[in-house]
Amino acid sequence: MLPPTADSLDEALLTRLMTELESEAALRRFEVAPNPCVGAAVLSGGKVVSRGHTAPWGGDHAEVDALKAAVASGTPPKDWDLLLVTLEPCSSTGKTPPCVDAILDSGIPRVVVGELDPDSRHQGAGLERLRNAGVEVYLQDGHASLAKSSPHFLAFNKVERLRRPRPWTIAKWAQTRTGQLEPPEDVGEGRWISCEQSRLEVHQLRSRVDAIVTGSRTVQLDNPRLSIRPPVMASKGPLRVVIDSVLRTSPTSQLFHELREGEVAGDVLILTLAGADASRWRALQAAGAEIHGLHTEDGSHVSLREVQSYLWERGVRRLLVETGPDLLQAYLDCGFVDQVRIYTGDVNGGRGKSMGEWLSRAKLESRIDRELGDDAVLEGFLGE
Ligand SMILES: NC(=O)c1ccc[n+]([C@@H]2O[C@H](COP(=O)([O-])OP(=O)(O)OC[C@H]3O[C@@H](n4cnc5c(N)ncnc54)[C@H](OP(=O)(O)O)[C@@H]3O)[C@@H](O)[C@H]2O)c1
């Protein structure tokens, strides 16, 4: 409830707006996770000047989005009298500068917040900074619900997970109607399952992660570039990570080729076993790869637990796994996949292991089924 000093605020309007903003923000859940889905609005004299929502990964937070939209609306900043935001504004620098700074710079005199930051390290800090700077701050507790709009964010910040942090991991794959990741040999050059629109969408997905993981066999067989290509534009490509226990990757792989016009790609990092062959190690380094040695848990492959911890230490927070069925299954079996995007192409039959059985048992939350060109696309968060 708002305190008595907030009499001039229309509580019914704010409550309705809070609910609407939260639902709108949740529409982007698969693009923003592990960030929370937050909505914000700038008001002037009880009228909504602009709305904003957490942008896809790496983009603006909702408050900044709403403030930018308020500038674009033409309503002069002196008339903005209230900012409504469903979650406490951040006060520390992450991928973007603190939202508290943007709010203070805007000169907005009042802020209504729907819920406190659940992370005890930051809880209340944003509100305190605003209050100390003379902004009137109200907590409209209980009107916004992170548990409803952003259960993924709460899962990501669970104490058990914070103790052994690992990146938010999205597994994306293309499969035939029978769930196989390789088409029949005479379809799509024996390689392509999904339609062109889907492949374009994957480039957009790549532009919204910090790193992509693939396996050594996929590099050998498909020779992928793992880059972002036009028309999708990005300023920086994600780190390209190959899991390659015995350094099978060829130094002539396309991963090391020069980029074409408009193409962006991150550095190549090969994760291998600490005692891997020294001459291969040197040849791959000469080709441009960074190589890092890890331990094994099963006696033959690099430990995926170590892969995830190491990538976290390197600053990777949102990770895309684009692999064939073996490494994909290993990731799923370890419980390291948080989110899936599955493209089912207009292809019958196929080669190799089918994901059909796994999919029939998977507990998918906040699931979306949509059509894209000839493909059916399924997205969801993986429940515990
Ligand atoms: N449809 C799709 O979305 C899609 C995407 C990518 C690839 N593919 C297809 O998939 C096929 C290749 O699939 P794949 O699964 O054999 O190759 P992969 O994706 O390269 O995965 C296999 C590699 O992963 C590593 N690995 C396997 N189990 C592991 C574990 N438990 N722990 C750690 N590392 C492990 C192994 O590398 P080390 O032996 O070096 O440890 C192995 O070579 C190709 O035909 C490709 O065209 C399809």
Side-chain angles (χ1 to χ4, degrees), residues 38-347:
V38 181
V42 173
L43 282 82
S44 172
K47 298 237 161 11
V48 176
V49 170
S50 66
R51 290 169 184 247
H53 309 94
T54 316
W57 186 250
D60 289 332
H61 287 184
E63 302 88 320
V64 173
D65 194 37
L67 288 167
K68 283 183 179 169
V71 170
S73 76
T75 306
K78 67 173 176 45
D79 293 342
W80 307 347
D81 53 23
L82 189 142
L83 176 83
L84 180 76
V85 55
T86 58
L87 180 66
E88 177 177 6
C90 63
S91 51
S92 57
T93 303
K95 277 202 167 284
T96 56
C99 290
V100 164
D101 290 355
I103 297 170
L104 293 176
D105 288 348
S106 77
I108 215 152
R110 290 189 293 184
V111 173
V112 175
V113 170
E115 195 166 357
L116 286 175
D117 190 326
D119 185 336
S120 56
R121 294 166 302 176
H122 305 294
Q123 197 169 79
L127 302 195
E128 194 179 325
R129 270 203 61 206
L130 291 171
R131 281 197 181 107
N132 290 345
V135 176
E136 275 180 55
V137 178
Y138 305 107
L139 180 63
Q140 205 188 18
D141 219 1
H143 290 287
S145 163
L146 268 184
K148 213 169 98 210
S149 70
S150 310
H152 60 269
F153 176 69
L154 296 176
F156 189 63
N157 285 289
K158 268 192 178 165
V159 177
E160 309 86 74
R161 184 151 179 171
L162 292 176
R163 212 176 295 135
R164 198 187 251 280
R166 58 187 160 83
W168 183 264
T169 301
I170 305 161
K172 165 255 137 190
W173 70 90
Q175 60 177 30
T176 67
R177 288 207 184 94
T178 38
Q180 283 143 311
L181 276 70
E182 292 168 74
E185 262 168 29
D186 57 344
V187 174
E189 299 161 38
R191 177 175 173 194
W192 301 111
I193 295 173
S194 52
C195 68
E196 231 167 286
Q197 287 112 303
S198 297
R199 282 185 247 154
L200 185 66
E201 199 182 63
V202 169
H203 283 264
Q204 196 180 53
L205 176 60
R206 286 180 185 167
S207 74
R208 293 171 178 169
V209 296
D210 300 326
I212 305 173
V213 158
T214 196
S216 56
R217 280 249 310 279
T218 292
V219 172
Q220 274 185 317
L221 296 174
D222 292 357
N223 203 7
R225 299 168 77 82
L226 301 179
S227 59
I228 301 165
R229 295 193 279 279
V232 175
M233 303 303 279
S235 53
K236 189 172 158 266
L239 181 70
R240 295 174 289 171
V241 184
V242 183
I243 298 186
D244 183 359
S245 306
V246 292
L247 296 183
R248 264 185 283 249
T249 300
S250 163
T252 60
S253 301
Q254 288 210 76
L255 286 172
F256 305 114
H257 287 194
E258 264 192 33
L259 298 176
R260 298 171 185 147
E261 183 148 2
E263 184 180 25
V264 295
D267 293 339
V268 177
L269 169 67
I270 298 183
L271 297 178
T272 191
L273 290 178
D277 185 273
S279 63
R280 285 169 189 270
W281 194 301
R282 279 193 298 273
L284 284 163
Q285 274 177 329
E290 181 191 349
I291 308 181
H292 184 78
L294 296 173
H295 296 100
T296 182
E297 281 177 58
D298 64 5
S300 50
H301 301 298
V302 159
S303 153
L304 293 185
R305 191 183 309 278
E306 282 199 17
V307 168
Q308 293 293 86
S309 299
Y310 180 67
L311 292 177
W312 177 273
E313 280 166 29
R314 296 272 304 231
V316 175
R317 296 293 175 268
R318 185 168 149 108
L319 173 70
L320 178 61
V321 172
E322 282 195 62
T323 69
D326 284 355
L327 187 54
L328 172 63
Q329 193 64 59
Y331 253 93
L332 289 166
D333 291 347
C334 289
F336 290 154
V337 177
D338 300 295
Q339 180 179 330
V340 294
R341 186 186 288 181
I342 306 166
Y343 294 93
T344 303
D346 187 16
V347 177

